[in-house]
Amino acid sequence: MNITGRTKVYRGRYGYSCSISNKNQDGDYDNMFIQLQLPKGIEPVDRTIIEITRGFLSFYRTKDGKQVPKIVVLEIKQDEPKQEENYFTSESDLPF
């Protein structure tokens, strides 16, 4: 199964994860975090939005033998942080 799309990345104690949610019949949401395996050298800041361009669904086994899903990310396109615009060109242009 190929995975592509935008997601918010959360950095935790054991690596990176993303969140998925499901709306119940009563209108409440259930959330689940899925571990992300990112390519080496890519370390996004906590709560950064990335775009997964190539990835797939896999799983790993815990010490108890339980199978847990994870997303293996092969390629990403990371949003550039927005820089603040400087509206004033020199100190004489300041309004005060």
Side-chain angles (χ1 to χ4, degrees):
M1 171 187 296
N2 293 328
I3 295 179
T4 60
R6 294 171 57 90
T7 187
K8 186 181 283 191
V9 176
Y10 299 95
R11 185 177 183 149
R13 183 185 309 179
Y14 300 109
Y16 295 96
S17 62
C18 66
S19 174
I20 60 173
S21 61
N22 187 27
K23 188 173 184 178
N24 297 331
Q25 289 181 346
D26 59 0
D28 291 334
Y29 284 91
D30 288 331
N31 293 319
M32 176 183 172
F33 286 91
I34 297 180
Q35 187 168 359
L36 293 175
Q37 180 179 327
L38 297 174
K40 287 186 179 183
I42 296 180
E43 297 179 1
V45 180
D46 187 33
R47 298 177 189 222
T48 300
I49 295 177
I50 63 170
E51 183 174 346
I52 300 171
T53 55
R54 276 187 36 203
F56 61 91
L57 189 62
S58 184
F59 71 93
Y60 65 94
R61 288 188 189 272
T62 63
K63 293 178 183 177
D64 302 335
K66 183 178 175 184
Q67 297 172 344
V68 180
K70 72 175 179 178
I71 297 174
V72 179
V73 179
L74 301 174
E75 291 179 4
I76 70 165
K77 186 183 343 176
Q78 190 171 353
D79 287 351
E80 294 295 324
K82 294 183 179 180
Q83 295 181 355
E84 293 183 20
E85 294 183 30
N86 186 4
Y87 294 105
F88 304 105
T89 57
S90 69
E91 294 223 8
S92 63
D93 293 338
L94 295 175
F96 47 88

